[in-house]
Amino acid sequence: MKRLISILLALAMVFALAACGAAPEEEENQVMTDEEIADKTQQAAEVAVDAGRKSTVDSDERIDSIKVIINTMPNSLSAFYGLDAPTTFINSVIYETLLWRSGVTEYSPRLAKNWYYETDAEDSVIFELYDNITDWNGNKIEASDVVFSYDGIAASGRAANFSYYDHAEVVDPLTVRIVLKSKIEDLVSFAAMFSDVWIISEASYDEATASTNPVGTGPYKIKEFVTDAYIILEANDDYWQKDDIQPWAAQNAQEIRIDFINDSSQALIAFTSGETVFLDIGARDLDDFLNGQYAGKYTITQRLSTDAFGLAPNCHESSLMSDENLRMAVFYALDSQDFIDAAGANTFRACTTLVSPAIADYDESWDTIESYTTTQDLELAKEYLEKSSYNGETLTIMTKQFPLELNTIAQVTEQALKQIGINCEIKQYEHAVMLEQMQDPTTFDLYTSSGRESFNSITNIDKTLDVGYGSVAGYSTNFVQDPEMQSLIDAANNVDTYSAETTRAVMEYALDHAYLYSIMYGCQFGAFAENVAQIYQTIAGETMYNACEYYLD
């Protein structure tokens, strides 16, 4: 197998320098095997509490305060507009939803103690609220507040997968009916409708202050918020739920300070000096924590990312890549290990199918599907190229500036395709500009892709291949228009027909027609301070610091 050693080493150096500001003379990190890494790390759930020490596990006391760092500030804390990734932890403890999603099709009570479909047609759902819910101002949360919240998010235009919603109505003070335009069929919309809408008090809502000083019902309140600097959350001593405290609502710290710092060097200094309880370990610093100056001083965890990075071909009939033979030629010319070597051998792993194995419903039998994701075959690639309509044209690879992994994929792809005689050019855009460019099938031939779904694999796939996600009516985001493909996606994403088998059928068909190439997924490392006794993470792998256990001695 032909390797791109010189190119990969050059790319690895470029991206390491860009990401971390490392000096040119700095030595490369040691490349470790999975077994060597496993010996020095733990999964979060495996971290055991030392029973000989006093901790929040066996005490009603709280740790006085903790400090964590996230790399970007939330754009808004509003229940209607705060939808960006940095707000995930903050909003999940200051607001609450009707239900808490705990699996692909599993839901637990949060504000609603009971729920059921009202009719055989399943076009409306009844929710019965707990009778003692209050917000931080002491206002009781009733059915009318649920109506206000649902209508508010629907009117905001920011709700995702909300097309089934018709209206909400009060049945009685503690019972609300969510009326749908039709029965919810797809898994994503069900979750969006019932576990993603923050419920707030109409009496407390003030649009002028909602983005920086909102009023919620959750276990933590906002004590102080300084734009572009930090936010301090404090435990809500009047939290309404006293009888059945779920892990996501624990209050193991009196105060949680979150600093917004986008400099990895500053974050490292803050952690190693004892200021913060957690650090995302970047590729440059990993060896220091596993083998070097910080080895043995902290609890080091690893988790697989649900985000799979890859390539999506422009399948529009006007595009060169509408030729399946050309798509096969391109994908069989690539070797996922080349991308991993360039992006960071310790921090990425190869996909064996179209999604990361970290997604909750991943089935190991999917690893047996044979395709270009598991095999590089240059001779086969050349055979497909010979059968294609390709005639020396330059293919355009479109990519975003960030994350850097997408740029790595674009550059390695460009170099790899030269081996079989395909010329490429790379066009790099800011995120918003790339979204605009993706709506025009004449602007690209391939684009670098990624997916973010933690619960069901099909969602990661159908965001690329489902026509419902495309900006151009009747096409997917990479301009696939294939009724059979769409039928398979609909079956795999339906609440009644979803299964490992229907999901596998989507993958096999997509691979057979070279509609998508998922190349690699991340292995993310974190360091926890000595006073963290046990780590609590959601199914999505997000650490909830309020629910972690802490040593008090």
Side-chain angles (χ1 to χ4, degrees):
M1 182 182 297
K2 185 176 180 180
R3 308 294 292 169
L4 310 175
I5 297 297
S6 61
I7 295 167
L8 293 173
L9 290 177
L11 282 172
M13 181 63 73
V14 167
F15 287 106
L17 294 176
C20 304
E25 66 272 15
E26 187 173 12
E27 294 183 4
E28 289 187 48
N29 289 329
Q30 172 189 348
V31 177
M32 291 168 278
T33 65
D34 289 346
E35 292 76 16
E36 289 172 331
I37 291 176
D39 285 342
K40 299 175 183 292
T41 64
Q42 301 179 65
Q43 301 297 320
E46 298 172 351
V47 177
V49 178
D50 182 349
R53 298 182 61 183
K54 182 181 179 181
S55 71
T56 55
V57 174
D58 52 16
S59 170
D60 291 333
E61 295 180 48
R62 301 168 180 155
I63 192 170
D64 290 336
S65 64
I66 62 169
K67 178 179 173 181
V68 296
I69 288 173
I70 60 176
N71 59 12
T72 54
M73 190 190 81
N75 66 354
S76 171
L77 297 181
S78 167
F80 298 149
Y81 297 100
L83 303 177
D84 61 305
T87 65
T88 299
F89 167 69
I90 299 171
N91 279 5
S92 67
V93 295
I94 65 176
Y95 296 123
E96 296 177 282
T97 56
L98 292 173
L99 303 176
W100 178 271
R101 192 180 186 188
S102 53
V104 180
T105 57
E106 291 80 42
Y107 295 85
S108 305
R110 191 140 194 192
L111 295 181
K113 63 180 180 180
N114 191 26
W115 65 278
Y116 52 89
Y117 286 104
E118 186 178 33
T119 66
D120 291 339
E122 298 183 349
D123 58 0
S124 60
V125 186
I126 298 294
F127 290 88
E128 298 174 355
L129 305 179
Y130 287 100
D131 62 4
N132 60 331
I133 307 169
T134 57
D135 71 5
W136 307 334
N137 289 339
N139 293 305
K140 188 170 184 178
I141 301 296
E142 297 186 334
S144 59
D145 297 300
V146 176
V147 173
F148 172 76
S149 301
Y150 269 76
D151 286 346
I153 189 66
S156 73
R158 299 294 296 276
N161 305 294
F162 222 62
S163 60
Y164 286 96
Y165 179 70
D166 188 275
H167 68 280
E169 57 191 36
V170 173
V171 176
D172 63 47
L174 293 177
T175 308
V176 64
R177 177 185 292 112
I178 308 295
V179 181
L180 309 172
K181 294 176 181 176
S182 63
K183 174 189 173 182
I184 294 182
E185 295 183 339
D186 70 275
L187 296 162
V188 178
S189 294
F190 190 95
M193 190 69 62
F194 303 131
S195 66
D196 290 351
V197 178
W198 307 118
I199 305 303
I200 58 175
S201 165
E202 183 175 9
S204 293
Y205 181 71
D206 183 346
E207 186 171 359
T209 61
S211 64
T212 57
N213 191 28
V215 176
T217 64
Y220 279 78
K221 302 189 293 185
I222 297 171
K223 180 178 181 180
E224 186 178 1
F225 185 10
V226 178
T227 302
D228 292 326
Y230 62 86
I231 186 169
I232 299 177
L233 307 174
E234 64 176 344
N236 176 16
D237 290 329
D238 298 319
Y239 181 52
W240 63 274
Q241 180 59 278
K242 303 293 185 184
D243 301 325
D244 186 22
I245 303 294
Q246 297 297 317
W248 58 76
Q251 299 172 305
N252 292 333
Q254 181 61 35
E255 285 190 359
I256 302 174
R257 175 176 170 136
I258 303 170
D259 283 2
F260 313 126
I261 298 177
N262 194 30
D263 186 305
S264 59
S265 297
Q266 289 185 42
L268 176 64
I269 293 169
F271 178 75
T272 54
S273 63
E275 294 180 34
T276 61
V277 298
F278 174 75
L279 176 73
D280 268 318
I281 304 175
R284 184 190 67 174
D285 299 316
L286 181 60
D287 190 56
D288 271 347
F289 278 91
L290 297 187
N291 305 300
Q293 59 181 317
Y294 306 123
K297 296 181 180 180
Y298 307 102
T299 298
I300 309 301
T301 63
Q302 66 162 309
R303 71 176 180 88
L304 303 181
S305 171
T306 60
D307 194 0
F309 296 97
L311 285 167
N314 177 0
C315 296
H316 193 271
E317 55 266 28
S318 65
S319 169
L320 289 170
M321 297 301 292
S322 63
D323 184 335
E324 184 174 313
N325 285 318
L326 181 56
R327 298 199 297 269
M328 286 291 189
V330 167
F331 289 164
Y332 270 110
L334 306 178
D335 184 346
S336 57
Q337 190 59 47
D338 291 337
F339 297 92
I340 291 170
D341 291 344
N346 289 331
T347 52
F348 287 93
R349 297 179 184 177
C351 290
T352 55
T353 184
L354 291 179
V355 292
S356 160
I359 297 179
D361 71 339
Y362 192 87
D363 190 311
E364 291 184 356
S365 71
W366 300 338
D367 295 337
T368 63
I369 302 173
E370 294 185 5
S371 73
Y372 44 78
T373 61
T374 57
T375 303
Q376 182 201 40
D377 190 328
L378 293 180
E379 294 307 313
L380 184 58
K382 291 175 182 177
E383 290 178 17
Y384 276 117
L385 185 62
E386 185 66 27
K387 291 187 292 184
S388 77
S389 57
Y390 180 74
N391 194 31
E393 298 91 342
T394 297
L395 302 184
T396 298
I397 305 172
M398 183 168 63
T399 187
K400 293 189 294 187
Q401 293 177 344
F402 299 101
L404 292 175
E405 292 80 9
L406 296 179
N407 293 281
T408 303
I409 286 174
Q411 296 195 35
V412 174
T413 298
E414 179 188 28
Q415 297 300 325
L417 293 185
K418 287 182 180 179
Q419 298 177 95
I420 62 168
I422 294 179
N423 302 310
C424 296
E425 64 175 355
I426 298 172
K427 291 187 177 180
Q428 186 185 90
Y429 300 100
E430 293 181 355
H431 175 72
V433 176
M434 181 167 165
L435 292 181
E436 291 179 5
Q437 295 287 72
M438 286 173 61
Q439 299 176 34
D440 183 350
T442 68
T443 60
F444 69 97
D445 297 296
L446 293 155
Y447 73 82
T448 57
S449 66
S450 63
R452 294 184 181 277
E453 166 61 28
S454 302
F455 292 94
N456 57 306
S457 298
I458 186 59
T459 305
N460 253 327
I461 300 169
D462 71 12
K463 285 181 179 177
T464 303
L465 300 175
D466 186 345
V467 299
Y469 285 94
S471 300
V472 178
Y475 293 92
S476 71
T477 54
N478 64 322
F479 296 100
V480 172
Q481 190 183 50
D482 183 334
E484 186 172 352
M485 180 81 226
Q486 191 61 48
S487 177
L488 292 171
I489 285 177
D490 291 343
N493 198 34
N494 186 287
V495 294
D496 295 324
T497 56
Y498 158 79
S499 69
E501 290 71 28
T502 54
T503 303
R504 179 181 177 129
V506 173
M507 294 184 186
E508 289 180 329
Y509 190 89
L511 291 167
D512 285 345
H513 294 276
Y515 284 145
L516 181 66
Y517 184 3
S518 294
I519 296 169
M520 62 187 186
Y521 57 92
C523 183
Q524 300 171 338
F525 297 88
F528 287 84
E530 291 180 327
N531 63 344
V532 181
Q534 199 164 37
I535 301 161
Y536 180 82
Q537 291 183 336
T538 67
I539 196 170
E542 297 157 352
T543 301
M544 297 196 72
Y545 299 98
N546 62 301
C548 290
E549 305 289 354
Y550 298 93
Y551 290 116
L552 300 170
D553 53 13

